[in-house]
């Protein structure tokens, strides 16, 4: 019997990358490869990379530095994803041991390097949706299935490298998304999370001229008996159309939690970011959402220290964070990226000021999270089990608001969805008891 070839894959970055990593693994497994966690034993090493901030790119190159010393000499080494697209052929110059550099829309070309290991393979083309058709269907789904419905972004926020790395926005055909969703439900998914850089901008027109939106995908998915929870990420504020807002009122499987990044609370900075700068409109969307689903909570991403951001601009960011009472949010120091307009702007902010602002914003976001977590004590929520914690004595659940809830492990088998009474809370997580 032939010895089975082994692959090692490490994924950095967003959920879209996690999905891409799963597809790459499924593709290799369908060709009889097996996965390994041991770099020194792998015949094929793939880093699935993120380029959204300079730190993310640096992480990839320092990992490559370690890996090239630890790997077998014969092992093939390559990068896929956004750093591949960001660096292009320059990656081969920086790391001569690299065998392949494949962008986020060309990783289905991976078998070519396996067939021709003595060549160097560079493909960072924006191939659109081709990869989705060329990869095999997954035969097993995790409990939470991430399903991309569109890729790329047309908004061109001035700080963001994504329109360069993932290209113009393309929505996948409605039937293809539903085929993947039904397949996920059949093979173990309980929760569906629709993915896209601009997920609520999903628009697909079929051959008969019928237009499908994200609300149609949600309505259709909610009909699947095996699916109990539906969510989507990440939403662009001005694409939050009324049909989608209404879904929160009419579709109980849609979780009462929405990721709708604002990035800054200053209209002046939002304009420089090329983001929607009408804060009243943003607040009005939140108001409409609360009117159809009073228990809804919103999360956001924030960037501090964008070029020309003054103390007054930053104070407006603190104000909006306080007003909307975001939960589960992320904040980042602005990081100049190649191929973006903001990297060339005047008045770049010093690292020191960025650090102070980040600390202040994080403090406030953490306080909001703590307050919300504490307000959950005594409530009962249907939560989804993610598995054991590190000790093996507890189970980790996700609430409908994506909070982590720790529960003592029962001595009997349970199904993954459980009604849980929240008994305690801190900033980071909740404690709860299963209600029998
Ligand atoms: N610097 C810092 N943060 C960034 N993000 C995107 N580009 C940059 C950048 N150049 C953040 C945004 C986005 C999240 C995914 O990453 O907040 O919503
Ligand atoms: Fe980047 Fe998101 Fe802006 Fe698109 S909407 S350019 S993905 S930050």
């Amino acid at each position: 019997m032939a010895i089975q070839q082994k692959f090692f894959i490490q994924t950095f970055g967003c959920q879209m990358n996690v999905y891409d990593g799963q597809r790459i693994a499924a593709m290799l497994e369908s060709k009889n490869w097996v996965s390994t966690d041991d770099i020194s034993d792998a015949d094929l090493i793939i880093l699935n990379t993120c380029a959204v901030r300079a730190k993310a790119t640096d992480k990839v190159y320092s990992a490559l530095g370690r890996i090239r010393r630890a790997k077998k000499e014969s092992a093939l080494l390559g990068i896929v994803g956004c750093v591949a697209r960001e660096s292009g052929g320059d990656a081969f110059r920086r790391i001569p041991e690299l065998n392949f550099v494949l962008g986020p829309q060309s990783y289905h070309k991976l078998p070519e390097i396996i067939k021709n290991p003595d060549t160097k393979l560079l493909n960072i083309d924006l191939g659109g949706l081709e990869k989705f058709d060329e990869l095999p269907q997954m035969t097993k789904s995790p409990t939470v299935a991430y399903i991309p419905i569109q890729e790329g972004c047309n908004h061109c926020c001035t700080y963001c490298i994504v329109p360069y790395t993932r290209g113009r926005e393309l929505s996948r055909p409605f039937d293809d998304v539903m085929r993947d969703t039904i397949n996920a439900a059949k093979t173990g998914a309980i929760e569906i999370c629709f993915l896209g850089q601009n997920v609520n901008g999903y628009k697909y027109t079929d051959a008969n001229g019928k237009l499908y939106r994200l609300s149609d995908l949600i309505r259709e998915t909610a009909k699947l008996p095996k699916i109990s929870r539906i969510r989507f990420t990440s939403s662009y504020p001005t694409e939050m159309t009324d049909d989608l807002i209404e879904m929160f009122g009419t579709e109980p499987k849609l979780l009462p939690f929405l990721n709708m990044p604002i990035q800054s609370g200053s209209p002046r900075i939002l304009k420089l970011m090329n983001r929607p700068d009408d804060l009243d409109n943003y607040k009005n969307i939140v108001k409409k959402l609360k009117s159809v689903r009073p228990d809804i909570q919103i999360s956001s991403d924030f960037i501090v220290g964008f070029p020309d951001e003054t103390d007054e601009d930053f104070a407006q960011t603190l104000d909006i964070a306080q007003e909307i009472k975001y939960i589960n949010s992320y904040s980042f120091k602005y990081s100049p990226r190649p191929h973006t307009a903001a990297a060339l702007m005047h008045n770049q902010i010093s690292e020191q000021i960025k650090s102070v602002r980040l600390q202040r914003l994080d403090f406030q976001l953490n306080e909001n999270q703590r307050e919300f977590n504490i307000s959950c004590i005594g409530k009962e929520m249907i939560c989804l089990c993610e598995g054991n914690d590190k000790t093996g004595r507890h189970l980790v659940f996700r609430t409908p608001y994506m909070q982590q809830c720790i529960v003592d492990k029962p001595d009997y088998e349970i199904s993954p969805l459980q009604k849980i009474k929240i008994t305690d809370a801190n900033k980071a997580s909740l404690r709860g008891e299963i209600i029998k």
Side-chain angles (χ1 to χ4, degrees):
M1 207 176 92
I3 298 171
Q4 263 190 323
Q5 302 264 78
K6 294 183 186 154
F7 70 95
F8 169 94
I9 183 164
Q10 184 176 0
T11 292
F12 301 84
C14 66
Q15 280 308 332
M16 194 71 104
N17 263 17
V18 174
Y19 168 86
D20 288 338
Q22 288 169 351
R23 293 302 300 262
I24 292 168
M27 171 176 73
L28 291 168
E29 280 157 6
S30 77
K31 295 185 187 305
N32 244 340
W33 285 69
V34 286
S35 107
T36 174
D37 292 335
D38 180 0
I39 287 172
S40 64
D41 193 32
D43 305 290
L44 171 63
I45 299 166
I46 305 159
L47 295 189
N48 180 21
T49 62
C50 167
V52 77
R53 283 168 290 279
K55 241 192 202 164
T57 298
D58 296 345
K59 237 192 216 170
V60 171
Y61 280 101
S62 62
L64 282 169
R66 283 193 306 273
I67 290 171
R68 67 176 169 184
R69 287 188 291 275
K71 76 180 191 70
K72 285 199 284 205
E73 203 177 327
S74 61
L76 291 170
L77 172 65
I79 55 174
V80 299
C82 289
V83 175
R85 169 101 181 132
E86 179 195 357
S87 301
D90 197 42
F92 291 117
R93 193 187 51 72
R94 289 180 69 173
I95 309 282
E97 290 86 348
L98 278 176
N99 301 90
F100 57 95
V101 173
L102 295 172
Q105 290 173 2
S106 36
Y107 60 73
H108 56 288
K109 309 270 183 209
L110 201 56
E112 286 179 21
I113 192 71
I114 300 168
K115 272 192 226 131
N116 301 300
D118 297 328
T119 57
K120 296 233 178 226
L121 179 62
L122 171 68
N123 189 326
I124 55 165
D125 300 346
L126 293 174
L129 300 171
E130 200 184 299
K131 68 176 179 191
F132 292 106
D133 302 328
E134 297 213 3
L135 295 167
Q137 278 282 320
M138 312 263 267
T139 52
K140 194 170 172 292
S141 172
T143 354
V144 180
Y146 291 92
I147 309 230
I149 64 171
Q150 56 90 226
E151 185 157 22
C153 187
N154 286 354
H155 283 302
C156 298
C157 304
T158 53
Y159 51 79
C160 188
I161 196 173
V162 167
Y164 177 77
T165 57
R166 299 233 174 210
R168 305 293 287 167
E169 197 171 310
L170 287 170
S171 291
R172 296 179 65 201
F174 180 83
D175 287 347
D176 289 8
V177 175
M178 282 317 298
R179 182 201 59 213
D180 287 0
T181 306
I182 291 165
N183 182 54
K186 273 192 195 146
T187 56
I190 293 175
E191 178 175 309
I192 297 290
C193 180
F194 290 122
L195 284 183
Q197 269 82 35
N198 181 30
V199 73
N200 56 345
Y202 177 84
K203 276 180 212 81
Y204 177 74
T205 309
D206 72 9
N208 303 321
K210 180 167 165 36
L211 173 71
Y212 293 91
R213 302 292 316 250
L214 175 56
S215 53
D216 298 303
L217 285 171
I218 294 168
R219 196 175 302 107
E220 211 47 36
T221 301
K223 291 182 191 157
L224 302 172
K226 293 216 165 125
I227 299 302
S228 301
R229 318 211 301 183
I230 305 170
R231 61 191 169 99
F232 54 89
T233 193
S234 214
S235 290
Y236 193 80
T238 49
E239 308 258 23
M240 214 56 221
T241 46
D242 285 341
D243 57 316
L244 186 54
I245 293 175
E246 276 159 27
M247 292 309 294
F248 283 93
T250 54
E251 188 37 71
K253 289 186 181 181
L254 187 58
L255 293 179
F257 178 63
L258 175 69
N259 172 250
M260 185 170 65
I262 189 156
Q263 310 294 356
S264 166
S266 155
R268 196 179 72 82
I269 294 297
L270 287 168
K271 210 173 244 127
L272 290 174
M273 288 177 164
N274 194 30
R275 298 274 306 176
D277 60 353
D278 182 348
L279 290 186
D280 287 338
N281 186 40
Y282 186 96
K283 288 178 203 169
N284 199 29
I285 295 165
V286 175
K287 207 162 124 196
K288 279 197 212 164
L289 284 161
K290 294 230 178 219
S291 74
V292 295
R293 191 80 179 254
D295 60 346
I296 199 167
Q297 298 293 335
I298 317 288
S299 83
S300 179
D301 295 345
F302 295 92
I303 295 177
V304 300
F306 187 82
D308 212 28
E309 185 187 69
T310 62
D311 285 342
E312 290 73 36
D313 293 314
F314 175 64
Q316 290 179 295
T317 298
L318 292 175
D319 286 347
I320 194 94
Q322 182 64 9
E323 186 175 340
I324 307 279
K325 293 264 181 220
Y326 292 105
I327 64 161
N328 232 320
S329 297
Y330 291 95
S331 45
F332 308 100
K333 288 193 240 181
Y334 167 70
S335 165
R337 302 307 290 128
H339 316 287
T340 63
L344 305 174
M345 286 181 183
H346 297 297
N347 297 340
Q348 297 280 332
I349 306 296
S350 73
E351 268 310 295
Q352 197 193 353
I353 292 178
K354 284 185 202 171
S355 297
V356 172
R357 289 183 185 164
L358 185 69
Q359 218 178 2
R360 285 188 61 194
L361 179 59
D362 275 347
F363 179 80
Q364 180 157 340
L365 294 173
N366 286 339
E367 277 309 296
N368 290 357
Q369 183 75 42
R370 184 203 311 276
E371 252 176 56
F372 177 64
N373 285 356
I374 287 173
S375 77
C376 294
I377 298 177
K379 293 203 173 127
E380 293 174 3
M381 299 184 192
I382 310 278
C383 301
L384 182 63
C385 188
E386 281 188 338
N388 291 326
D389 73 349
K390 278 193 212 109
T391 68
R393 284 183 285 121
H394 306 109
L395 292 174
V396 180
F397 282 83
R398 282 280 155 198
T399 72
Y401 301 102
M402 297 302 117
Q403 299 146 293
Q404 198 181 58
C405 181
I406 314 286
V407 170
D408 286 340
K409 198 171 176 175
D411 50 13
Y412 51 90
E413 279 287 305
I414 57 155
S415 58
L417 271 182
Q418 292 291 326
K419 193 182 227 184
I420 295 195
K421 180 165 182 168
I422 310 303
T423 53
D424 201 0
N426 60 30
K427 181 196 85 192
S429 63
L430 309 175
R431 291 281 305 199
E433 285 165 3
I434 295 175
I435 299 177
K436 279 192 224 164

PDB file of all heavy atoms in Angstrom, residues 23 45 53 60 68 78 85 121 130 144 149 158 165 172 208 267 280 325 361 394 413 428:
ATOM      1  N   ARG A  23     -12.147  24.186   3.161  1.00  0.00           N
ATOM      2  CA  ARG A  23     -12.306  23.698   1.786  1.00  0.00           C
ATOM      3  C   ARG A  23     -11.001  23.104   1.257  1.00  0.00           C
ATOM      4  O   ARG A  23     -11.005  22.092   0.567  1.00  0.00           O
ATOM      5  CB  ARG A  23     -12.769  24.839   0.849  1.00  0.00           C
ATOM      6  CG  ARG A  23     -14.150  25.365   1.113  1.00  0.00           C
ATOM      7  CD  ARG A  23     -15.255  24.338   1.041  1.00  0.00           C
ATOM      8  NE  ARG A  23     -15.451  23.640  -0.203  1.00  0.00           N
ATOM      9  CZ  ARG A  23     -16.347  23.941  -1.133  1.00  0.00           C
ATOM     10  NH1 ARG A  23     -17.150  24.968  -0.971  1.00  0.00           N
ATOM     11  NH2 ARG A  23     -16.470  23.211  -2.213  1.00  0.00           N
ATOM     12  N   ILE A  45       2.995  21.916   3.279  1.00  0.00           N
ATOM     13  CA  ILE A  45       2.715  22.879   4.355  1.00  0.00           C
ATOM     14  C   ILE A  45       2.080  24.115   3.734  1.00  0.00           C
ATOM     15  O   ILE A  45       2.632  24.723   2.810  1.00  0.00           O
ATOM     16  CB  ILE A  45       4.010  23.256   5.102  1.00  0.00           C
ATOM     17  CG1 ILE A  45       4.618  21.997   5.735  1.00  0.00           C
ATOM     18  CG2 ILE A  45       3.739  24.310   6.173  1.00  0.00           C
ATOM     19  CD1 ILE A  45       6.039  22.166   6.208  1.00  0.00           C
ATOM     20  N   ARG A  53      -4.156  43.820   8.628  1.00  0.00           N
ATOM     21  CA  ARG A  53      -3.266  44.769   9.304  1.00  0.00           C
ATOM     22  C   ARG A  53      -1.828  44.308   9.112  1.00  0.00           C
ATOM     23  O   ARG A  53      -1.578  43.115   8.902  1.00  0.00           O
ATOM     24  CB  ARG A  53      -3.606  44.853  10.800  1.00  0.00           C
ATOM     25  CG  ARG A  53      -4.858  45.691  11.086  1.00  0.00           C
ATOM     26  CD  ARG A  53      -5.340  45.545  12.498  1.00  0.00           C
ATOM     27  NE  ARG A  53      -5.898  44.227  12.712  1.00  0.00           N
ATOM     28  CZ  ARG A  53      -7.132  43.863  12.361  1.00  0.00           C
ATOM     29  NH1 ARG A  53      -7.945  44.733  11.791  1.00  0.00           N
ATOM     30  NH2 ARG A  53      -7.554  42.640  12.571  1.00  0.00           N
ATOM     31  N   VAL A  60       2.755  36.092   9.488  1.00  0.00           N
ATOM     32  CA  VAL A  60       2.911  35.045   8.478  1.00  0.00           C
ATOM     33  C   VAL A  60       4.390  34.871   8.130  1.00  0.00           C
ATOM     34  O   VAL A  60       4.895  33.746   8.089  1.00  0.00           O
ATOM     35  CB  VAL A  60       2.102  35.398   7.211  1.00  0.00           C
ATOM     36  CG1 VAL A  60       2.417  34.445   6.074  1.00  0.00           C
ATOM     37  CG2 VAL A  60       0.615  35.380   7.535  1.00  0.00           C
ATOM     38  N   ARG A  68      10.492  27.071   7.762  1.00  0.00           N
ATOM     39  CA  ARG A  68      11.474  26.631   6.756  1.00  0.00           C
ATOM     40  C   ARG A  68      12.644  25.898   7.404  1.00  0.00           C
ATOM     41  O   ARG A  68      13.321  25.116   6.762  1.00  0.00           O
ATOM     42  CB  ARG A  68      11.926  27.787   5.878  1.00  0.00           C
ATOM     43  CG  ARG A  68      12.725  28.859   6.589  1.00  0.00           C
ATOM     44  CD  ARG A  68      13.180  29.866   5.549  1.00  0.00           C
ATOM     45  NE  ARG A  68      13.730  31.045   6.155  1.00  0.00           N
ATOM     46  CZ  ARG A  68      14.126  32.091   5.451  1.00  0.00           C
ATOM     47  NH1 ARG A  68      14.003  32.116   4.158  1.00  0.00           N
ATOM     48  NH2 ARG A  68      14.633  33.133   6.062  1.00  0.00           N
ATOM     49  N   GLY A  78       4.006  26.581   1.020  1.00  0.00           N
ATOM     50  CA  GLY A  78       3.398  27.686   0.281  1.00  0.00           C
ATOM     51  C   GLY A  78       2.456  28.525   1.117  1.00  0.00           C
ATOM     52  O   GLY A  78       2.063  28.137   2.225  1.00  0.00           O
ATOM     53  N   ARG A  85      -1.727  37.366  -2.121  1.00  0.00           N
ATOM     54  CA  ARG A  85      -2.149  38.388  -3.084  1.00  0.00           C
ATOM     55  C   ARG A  85      -1.413  39.712  -2.816  1.00  0.00           C
ATOM     56  O   ARG A  85      -1.024  40.411  -3.734  1.00  0.00           O
ATOM     57  CB  ARG A  85      -3.668  38.549  -2.978  1.00  0.00           C
ATOM     58  CG  ARG A  85      -4.229  39.720  -3.695  1.00  0.00           C
ATOM     59  CD  ARG A  85      -4.868  39.394  -5.035  1.00  0.00           C
ATOM     60  NE  ARG A  85      -5.347  40.637  -5.615  1.00  0.00           N
ATOM     61  CZ  ARG A  85      -5.126  41.031  -6.845  1.00  0.00           C
ATOM     62  NH1 ARG A  85      -4.482  40.267  -7.684  1.00  0.00           N
ATOM     63  NH2 ARG A  85      -5.581  42.183  -7.272  1.00  0.00           N
ATOM     64  N   LEU A 121       4.878  27.918  -8.267  1.00  0.00           N
ATOM     65  CA  LEU A 121       3.536  28.267  -8.757  1.00  0.00           C
ATOM     66  C   LEU A 121       3.088  29.595  -8.162  1.00  0.00           C
ATOM     67  O   LEU A 121       2.979  29.734  -6.940  1.00  0.00           O
ATOM     68  CB  LEU A 121       2.551  27.149  -8.389  1.00  0.00           C
ATOM     69  CG  LEU A 121       1.098  27.349  -8.796  1.00  0.00           C
ATOM     70  CD1 LEU A 121       0.947  27.448 -10.310  1.00  0.00           C
ATOM     71  CD2 LEU A 121       0.225  26.208  -8.267  1.00  0.00           C
ATOM     72  N   GLU A 130     -15.071  31.147  -9.363  1.00  0.00           N
ATOM     73  CA  GLU A 130     -14.662  29.864  -9.957  1.00  0.00           C
ATOM     74  C   GLU A 130     -14.318  28.808  -8.901  1.00  0.00           C
ATOM     75  O   GLU A 130     -14.680  27.657  -9.008  1.00  0.00           O
ATOM     76  CB  GLU A 130     -13.408  30.169 -10.779  1.00  0.00           C
ATOM     77  CG  GLU A 130     -13.028  29.201 -11.845  1.00  0.00           C
ATOM     78  CD  GLU A 130     -11.692  29.667 -12.453  1.00  0.00           C
ATOM     79  OE1 GLU A 130     -11.647  30.786 -13.004  1.00  0.00           O
ATOM     80  OE2 GLU A 130     -10.722  28.923 -12.338  1.00  0.00           O
ATOM     81  N   VAL A 144     -21.571  24.625  13.637  1.00  0.00           N
ATOM     82  CA  VAL A 144     -21.793  25.945  13.055  1.00  0.00           C
ATOM     83  C   VAL A 144     -21.158  25.940  11.667  1.00  0.00           C
ATOM     84  O   VAL A 144     -19.948  25.822  11.527  1.00  0.00           O
ATOM     85  CB  VAL A 144     -21.148  27.059  13.905  1.00  0.00           C
ATOM     86  CG1 VAL A 144     -21.404  28.424  13.266  1.00  0.00           C
ATOM     87  CG2 VAL A 144     -21.662  27.020  15.336  1.00  0.00           C
ATOM     88  N   ILE A 149     -21.556  33.784   0.921  1.00  0.00           N
ATOM     89  CA  ILE A 149     -22.599  34.070  -0.064  1.00  0.00           C
ATOM     90  C   ILE A 149     -22.125  35.124  -1.055  1.00  0.00           C
ATOM     91  O   ILE A 149     -22.671  35.261  -2.131  1.00  0.00           O
ATOM     92  CB  ILE A 149     -23.925  34.494   0.601  1.00  0.00           C
ATOM     93  CG1 ILE A 149     -23.799  35.815   1.367  1.00  0.00           C
ATOM     94  CG2 ILE A 149     -24.425  33.393   1.525  1.00  0.00           C
ATOM     95  CD1 ILE A 149     -25.144  36.355   1.832  1.00  0.00           C
ATOM     96  N   THR A 158     -11.143  53.609   2.709  1.00  0.00           N
ATOM     97  CA  THR A 158      -9.793  54.016   2.295  1.00  0.00           C
ATOM     98  C   THR A 158      -8.673  53.303   3.053  1.00  0.00           C
ATOM     99  O   THR A 158      -7.524  53.357   2.644  1.00  0.00           O
ATOM    100  CB  THR A 158      -9.616  55.540   2.443  1.00  0.00           C
ATOM    101  OG1 THR A 158      -9.980  55.890   3.783  1.00  0.00           O
ATOM    102  CG2 THR A 158     -10.480  56.292   1.452  1.00  0.00           C
ATOM    103  N   THR A 165      -7.249  42.541  -2.182  1.00  0.00           N
ATOM    104  CA  THR A 165      -6.919  41.107  -2.061  1.00  0.00           C
ATOM    105  C   THR A 165      -8.062  40.209  -2.532  1.00  0.00           C
ATOM    106  O   THR A 165      -7.817  39.138  -3.084  1.00  0.00           O
ATOM    107  CB  THR A 165      -6.552  40.718  -0.609  1.00  0.00           C
ATOM    108  OG1 THR A 165      -7.628  41.056   0.258  1.00  0.00           O
ATOM    109  CG2 THR A 165      -5.277  41.386  -0.152  1.00  0.00           C
ATOM    110  N   ARG A 172     -22.775  34.940  -4.922  1.00  0.00           N
ATOM    111  CA  ARG A 172     -22.914  33.573  -5.465  1.00  0.00           C
ATOM    112  C   ARG A 172     -24.378  33.308  -5.853  1.00  0.00           C
ATOM    113  O   ARG A 172     -25.295  33.841  -5.218  1.00  0.00           O
ATOM    114  CB  ARG A 172     -22.494  32.530  -4.417  1.00  0.00           C
ATOM    115  CG  ARG A 172     -21.043  32.607  -4.037  1.00  0.00           C
ATOM    116  CD  ARG A 172     -20.720  31.554  -2.990  1.00  0.00           C
ATOM    117  NE  ARG A 172     -20.860  30.210  -3.513  1.00  0.00           N
ATOM    118  CZ  ARG A 172     -21.035  29.118  -2.766  1.00  0.00           C
ATOM    119  NH1 ARG A 172     -21.121  29.221  -1.452  1.00  0.00           N
ATOM    120  NH2 ARG A 172     -21.127  27.938  -3.320  1.00  0.00           N
ATOM    121  N   ASN A 208     -34.223  34.211 -15.029  1.00  0.00           N
ATOM    122  CA  ASN A 208     -35.554  34.774 -15.304  1.00  0.00           C
ATOM    123  C   ASN A 208     -35.697  36.205 -14.813  1.00  0.00           C
ATOM    124  O   ASN A 208     -36.795  36.752 -14.787  1.00  0.00           O
ATOM    125  CB  ASN A 208     -36.637  33.920 -14.622  1.00  0.00           C
ATOM    126  CG  ASN A 208     -36.564  32.482 -15.074  1.00  0.00           C
ATOM    127  OD1 ASN A 208     -36.325  32.234 -16.256  1.00  0.00           O
ATOM    128  ND2 ASN A 208     -36.732  31.550 -14.142  1.00  0.00           N
ATOM    129  N   PRO A 267     -18.138  62.000  12.074  1.00  0.00           N
ATOM    130  CA  PRO A 267     -18.517  62.102  10.656  1.00  0.00           C
ATOM    131  C   PRO A 267     -17.349  62.562   9.778  1.00  0.00           C
ATOM    132  O   PRO A 267     -17.231  62.145   8.628  1.00  0.00           O
ATOM    133  CB  PRO A 267     -19.643  63.137  10.665  1.00  0.00           C
ATOM    134  CG  PRO A 267     -20.194  63.095  12.054  1.00  0.00           C
ATOM    135  CD  PRO A 267     -19.047  62.753  12.949  1.00  0.00           C
ATOM    136  N   ASP A 280     -27.061  59.891  12.095  1.00  0.00           N
ATOM    137  CA  ASP A 280     -28.498  59.798  12.379  1.00  0.00           C
ATOM    138  C   ASP A 280     -29.107  58.616  11.634  1.00  0.00           C
ATOM    139  O   ASP A 280     -29.962  57.909  12.160  1.00  0.00           O
ATOM    140  CB  ASP A 280     -29.228  61.086  11.955  1.00  0.00           C
ATOM    141  CG  ASP A 280     -28.906  62.210  12.920  1.00  0.00           C
ATOM    142  OD1 ASP A 280     -28.513  61.883  14.066  1.00  0.00           O
ATOM    143  OD2 ASP A 280     -28.996  63.374  12.530  1.00  0.00           O
ATOM    144  N   LYS A 325     -24.226  51.150  23.002  1.00  0.00           N
ATOM    145  CA  LYS A 325     -23.983  50.049  23.947  1.00  0.00           C
ATOM    146  C   LYS A 325     -23.659  48.755  23.209  1.00  0.00           C
ATOM    147  O   LYS A 325     -24.302  47.712  23.427  1.00  0.00           O
ATOM    148  CB  LYS A 325     -25.205  49.812  24.849  1.00  0.00           C
ATOM    149  CG  LYS A 325     -25.496  50.941  25.806  1.00  0.00           C
ATOM    150  CD  LYS A 325     -24.879  50.654  27.147  1.00  0.00           C
ATOM    151  CE  LYS A 325     -25.172  51.753  28.149  1.00  0.00           C
ATOM    152  NZ  LYS A 325     -24.061  52.098  28.997  1.00  0.00           N
ATOM    153  N   LEU A 361     -10.725  53.109  24.491  1.00  0.00           N
ATOM    154  CA  LEU A 361     -11.909  52.541  23.834  1.00  0.00           C
ATOM    155  C   LEU A 361     -12.155  51.113  24.327  1.00  0.00           C
ATOM    156  O   LEU A 361     -13.301  50.742  24.630  1.00  0.00           O
ATOM    157  CB  LEU A 361     -11.737  52.573  22.311  1.00  0.00           C
ATOM    158  CG  LEU A 361     -12.882  51.994  21.496  1.00  0.00           C
ATOM    159  CD1 LEU A 361     -14.203  52.725  21.770  1.00  0.00           C
ATOM    160  CD2 LEU A 361     -12.589  52.060  19.998  1.00  0.00           C
ATOM    161  N   HIS A 394     -16.020  20.941  32.080  1.00  0.00           N
ATOM    162  CA  HIS A 394     -17.133  21.832  31.735  1.00  0.00           C
ATOM    163  C   HIS A 394     -17.438  21.761  30.240  1.00  0.00           C
ATOM    164  O   HIS A 394     -16.580  21.377  29.455  1.00  0.00           O
ATOM    165  CB  HIS A 394     -16.778  23.288  32.072  1.00  0.00           C
ATOM    166  CG  HIS A 394     -16.332  23.479  33.478  1.00  0.00           C
ATOM    167  ND1 HIS A 394     -15.036  23.767  33.811  1.00  0.00           N
ATOM    168  CD2 HIS A 394     -17.022  23.412  34.628  1.00  0.00           C
ATOM    169  CE1 HIS A 394     -14.934  23.873  35.125  1.00  0.00           C
ATOM    170  NE2 HIS A 394     -16.127  23.653  35.640  1.00  0.00           N
ATOM    171  N   GLU A 413     -25.661  12.045  28.381  1.00  0.00           N
ATOM    172  CA  GLU A 413     -25.515  12.604  27.028  1.00  0.00           C
ATOM    173  C   GLU A 413     -26.514  13.743  26.828  1.00  0.00           C
ATOM    174  O   GLU A 413     -27.672  13.628  27.236  1.00  0.00           O
ATOM    175  CB  GLU A 413     -25.845  11.520  25.996  1.00  0.00           C
ATOM    176  CG  GLU A 413     -24.707  10.550  25.711  1.00  0.00           C
ATOM    177  CD  GLU A 413     -23.607  11.193  24.885  1.00  0.00           C
ATOM    178  OE1 GLU A 413     -23.925  11.721  23.807  1.00  0.00           O
ATOM    179  OE2 GLU A 413     -22.439  11.162  25.342  1.00  0.00           O
ATOM    180  N   ALA A 428     -15.779  38.516  30.591  1.00  0.00           N
ATOM    181  CA  ALA A 428     -15.392  37.601  29.523  1.00  0.00           C
ATOM    182  C   ALA A 428     -16.438  36.536  29.220  1.00  0.00           C
ATOM    183  O   ALA A 428     -16.570  36.111  28.071  1.00  0.00           O
ATOM    184  CB  ALA A 428     -14.061  36.938  29.869  1.00  0.00           C
TER     185      ALA A 428
END
